[in-house]
Amino acid sequence: MNDKETLMDDIVNLCKRRGFIFPSSEIYGGYNGFFDYGPLGVELKNNIKKAWWQDMVHRRDDIVGLDSTIIHHPMTWKASGHVDNFTDPLVDCRESKMRYRADQLFFAPVVVAGEKIGYVSVLEDGDMQEKAEEAARDLKRRLAKQGELAPIVLKDYTEAKPDEYALIPSPATGKPGSLTPPRAFNMMFQTYVGALRDETAIAYLRPETAQGIFINYKNIIDTGRVKIPFGIAQIGKAFRNEINPRNFIFRSREFEQMEIEYFISPKADWKKIHQEWIEYCMNWFDGIGIPKSRLSLYQHPKEKLAHYSKGTTDIMFEYPFGVQELQGIAARGNFDLTQHQTVSGKSMEYFDDREPNKDDRKYIPHVIEPSFGVDRIVLAVLTAAYAEEEVEGEKRVVLRLHPRLAPYKAAVFPLVKNKPELVERAENLYRRLKRRWNVFYDAAGAIGRRYRRQDEIGTPFGITVDFDTLEKDGKVTLRDRDSLQQIRITEDELVAYLSEKIDG
């Protein structure tokens, strides 16, 4: 397995080389923060969404689906607080013209023998502490200072005092004094609706899918025959004008979310339900090939909670660039529905005829929100699945994707391509399997090379039609991508076997 320094490059290169993910508008030099999913990438992404929808909606009795528009009435974002508060702290480097999020730019004073000799700065990543310490040692050497170097304690730039701005070096140039003080930057993409281009026509691309659920909550209550507790699930695009898109598809400006708003009674034990969702989501990740050993939990401290949150826990994943958020699970209280009721003038109350106390039958529900980022899951799945190993004296790159997620579920090979009867049998089997799953047919090159090509894109099963298939038992050879074991199996047995492994 590659070390963390090269693993990310290897994954990015594989994605480009094999058609998973391309930089958007690449023929024009790319467009920072935007990515296109190629033939294999769109299959992987769709399979993740399909698995999520099956497990979160179809296999549960308490969740229904929704697909709301990308552009909502502008008052939606006024009510939700996004117009006034959806900001990131922006910092500019006056010399390089680079821009940073202040909470992703870290600094520390360098103290030698009790004397402050300067500052160091680093951008947030998994190795930033080591980089800051190395920069501090380098500063000590350059200034020829003698004595013990004090521990480097990093703080983000939002914690910098005004008198420190002129002393903190820019990560781009290394020179102190070129960074501006942080200022608020609204991340919503603005557009116009209609023929006019004035303030009355301003609208926004949604920065999250959640508000589409809240503004449709009453429609679903009135038409869906749902009873609290229940959830509304949605998959869709969201757009954020990120200051500093980075780490491939981890943080981009156009991305896809899978979100659930789970509505509960104000009397319900929200902590218990919140914990149940954490465990449910952890198990779901484990079930699609992101092992629990790579996951951890981060509970937001009270002083850092969003103003509407009663409690938020992030499920974290060990990416090549450090442990970062994979999913957030928030207890949002009744903030959103209350805001929309206030601004719209439409009641968001739920009438609970099962509540024994008549005075408590009308209420605005509270919400638990499990929010998933599809692109972050794609990257986590690729990271967990990627491996390099030696097989029969050759390097093998393999993606150990769960069969539910693999772009191709199986590949069918005729042992050779110059025997018409062998090719015909293989093509017939391919067409039979194609009716149920996305499978691949390959007759080009040595059989070992064909196996390697499929290993690299995560195809879990290779099926070879050989001379024994025609002349002896009618069976085919089934090869497992991970164990490399091969078994002989009839075509009917093959279909049943694949169904069990792929569909569960």
Side-chain angles (χ1 to χ4, degrees):
M1 174 62 75
N2 293 16
D3 59 35
K4 292 181 179 180
E5 291 184 2
T6 61
L7 177 58
M8 191 66 192
D9 288 339
D10 290 333
I11 291 172
V12 172
N13 291 335
L14 173 65
C15 286
K16 175 68 187 303
R17 185 175 72 253
R18 298 309 304 265
F20 281 92
I21 301 169
F22 307 124
S24 179
S25 310
E26 188 174 19
I27 63 171
Y28 293 106
Y31 206 36
N32 192 23
F34 298 91
F35 293 91
D36 298 332
Y37 283 76
L40 295 181
V42 73
E43 294 294 336
L44 173 61
K45 192 177 187 183
N46 284 341
N47 288 341
I48 289 171
K49 292 188 288 185
K50 180 181 178 181
W52 187 86
W53 198 263
Q54 285 177 333
D55 295 339
M56 301 291 172
V57 181
H58 290 172
R59 292 175 180 171
R60 293 181 62 122
D61 296 326
D62 57 346
I63 296 181
V64 296
L66 174 73
D67 183 9
S68 67
T69 59
I70 285 173
I71 296 178
H72 304 325
H73 192 288
M75 290 305 294
T76 300
W77 308 112
K78 187 68 176 175
S80 66
H82 284 79
V83 170
D84 297 323
N85 300 313
F86 193 61
T87 58
D88 271 344
L90 170 66
V91 177
D92 287 303
C93 174
R94 298 184 185 92
E95 289 197 18
S96 69
K97 309 306 179 186
M98 294 292 291
R99 286 182 164 172
Y100 308 100
R101 268 179 55 171
D103 58 349
Q104 294 173 357
L105 194 164
F106 287 75
F107 74 96
V110 179
V111 179
V112 176
E115 176 191 358
K116 186 186 295 184
I117 65 170
Y119 284 77
V120 294
S121 68
V122 290
L123 296 178
E124 181 184 34
D125 67 22
D127 302 321
M128 65 181 183
Q129 183 66 38
E130 291 82 356
K131 292 176 181 176
E133 291 171 355
E134 176 58 33
R137 289 191 291 269
D138 182 62
L139 180 61
K140 178 186 174 184
R141 285 193 296 270
R142 284 191 286 110
L143 298 180
K145 296 292 183 180
Q146 301 297 316
E148 184 179 354
L149 178 65
I152 300 300
V153 180
L154 291 170
K155 295 187 291 185
D156 75 58
Y157 196 72
T158 63
E159 299 180 72
K161 298 175 183 178
D163 60 357
E164 291 180 303
Y165 294 150
L167 305 175
I168 298 171
S170 165
T173 65
K175 297 179 181 179
S178 62
L179 295 175
T180 65
R183 67 182 189 277
F185 171 77
N186 194 295
M187 294 189 294
M188 284 199 296
F189 281 101
Q190 182 176 299
T191 186
Y192 297 89
V193 173
L196 298 178
R197 293 221 163 196
D198 58 20
E199 289 192 1
T200 66
I202 290 175
Y204 303 94
L205 303 185
R206 65 183 180 194
E208 64 177 28
T209 57
Q211 298 306 319
I213 295 175
F214 291 125
I215 61 178
N216 278 285
Y217 151 81
K218 280 296 286 184
N219 287 332
I220 292 173
I221 286 285
D222 294 340
T223 63
R225 301 186 67 183
V226 292
K227 296 286 187 182
I228 281 180
F230 77 95
I232 302 173
Q234 179 170 211
I235 300 175
K237 288 289 186 75
F239 305 83
R240 296 180 184 178
N241 194 10
E242 292 282 353
I243 295 168
N244 187 25
R246 61 204 177 101
N247 293 326
F248 196 31
I249 57 173
F250 178 80
R251 189 180 300 281
S252 54
R253 291 180 167 127
E254 177 181 337
F255 56 96
E256 200 158 10
Q257 290 183 301
M258 305 185 295
E259 288 196 306
I260 296 170
E261 303 302 330
Y262 195 75
F263 299 95
I264 62 176
S265 165
K267 289 185 174 181
D269 185 348
W270 71 266
K271 290 184 178 180
K272 178 174 179 289
I273 299 171
H274 187 244
Q275 182 60 37
E276 288 171 351
W277 270 108
I278 293 171
E279 293 171 4
Y280 188 79
C281 293
M282 288 280 283
N283 290 332
W284 185 77
F285 283 127
D286 190 59
I288 63 166
I290 302 176
K292 288 184 179 179
S293 60
R294 303 285 294 273
L295 301 174
S296 57
L297 297 177
Y298 171 73
Q299 186 173 345
H300 291 218
K302 287 185 178 180
E303 64 273 13
K304 291 191 176 182
L305 286 173
H307 61 91
Y308 55 76
S309 176
K310 300 170 74 174
T312 298
T313 298
D314 292 339
I315 295 179
M316 313 292 283
F317 177 75
E318 184 185 348
Y319 290 98
F321 43 83
V323 176
Q324 297 285 341
E325 177 190 348
L326 177 61
Q327 179 201 357
I329 306 171
R332 295 178 71 115
N334 63 3
F335 170 80
D336 298 276
L337 291 180
T338 300
Q339 283 293 107
H340 287 300
Q341 175 174 280
T342 300
V343 175
S344 71
K346 303 292 174 33
S347 172
M348 294 292 169
E349 288 184 318
Y350 174 80
F351 180 74
D352 193 343
D353 57 6
R354 296 168 299 174
E355 170 60 50
N357 187 340
K358 291 184 178 180
D359 294 335
D360 294 336
R361 286 183 178 176
K362 271 192 173 183
Y363 57 78
I364 296 178
H366 288 220
V367 171
I368 305 294
E369 180 191 71
S371 178
F372 302 72
V374 182
D375 307 87
R376 290 188 178 191
I377 296 174
V378 170
L379 185 53
V381 163
L382 290 171
T383 301
Y386 186 92
E388 292 181 8
E389 57 193 23
E390 187 173 303
V391 175
E392 298 175 353
E394 291 187 1
K395 174 184 172 181
R396 178 174 89 133
V397 175
V398 58
L399 284 180
R400 292 194 171 94
L401 297 173
H402 191 287
R404 287 182 81 185
L405 306 188
Y408 293 114
K409 309 307 182 187
V412 178
F413 315 116
L415 185 63
V416 294
K417 63 178 180 180
N418 58 356
K419 290 288 184 181
E421 61 271 30
L422 206 63
V423 170
E424 181 182 6
R425 184 68 174 265
E427 289 178 343
N428 288 339
L429 176 59
Y430 165 73
R431 284 191 289 269
R432 179 181 179 182
L433 298 180
K434 190 77 169 174
R435 288 195 291 268
R436 296 189 60 172
W437 303 290
N438 191 28
V439 295
F440 191 81
Y441 181 85
D442 190 358
I447 191 68
R449 295 294 178 214
R450 284 181 268 171
Y451 283 150
R452 295 291 183 269
R453 289 198 290 263
Q454 295 303 314
D455 292 344
E456 192 175 36
I457 63 174
T459 306
F461 305 107
I463 303 157
T464 303
V465 177
D466 55 27
F467 295 110
D468 285 348
T469 308
L470 300 178
E471 299 169 1
K472 292 185 179 180
D473 53 15
K475 295 181 178 181
V476 297
T477 298
L478 176 66
R479 172 190 180 266
D480 184 271
R481 175 199 63 205
D482 299 334
S483 68
L484 302 179
Q485 291 183 341
Q486 300 185 18
I487 59 172
R488 298 287 292 175
I489 191 170
T490 68
E491 291 188 14
D492 288 342
E493 291 171 339
L494 172 68
V495 172
Y497 180 88
L498 293 180
S499 180
E500 178 185 353
K501 295 295 184 180
I502 296 167
D503 304 325

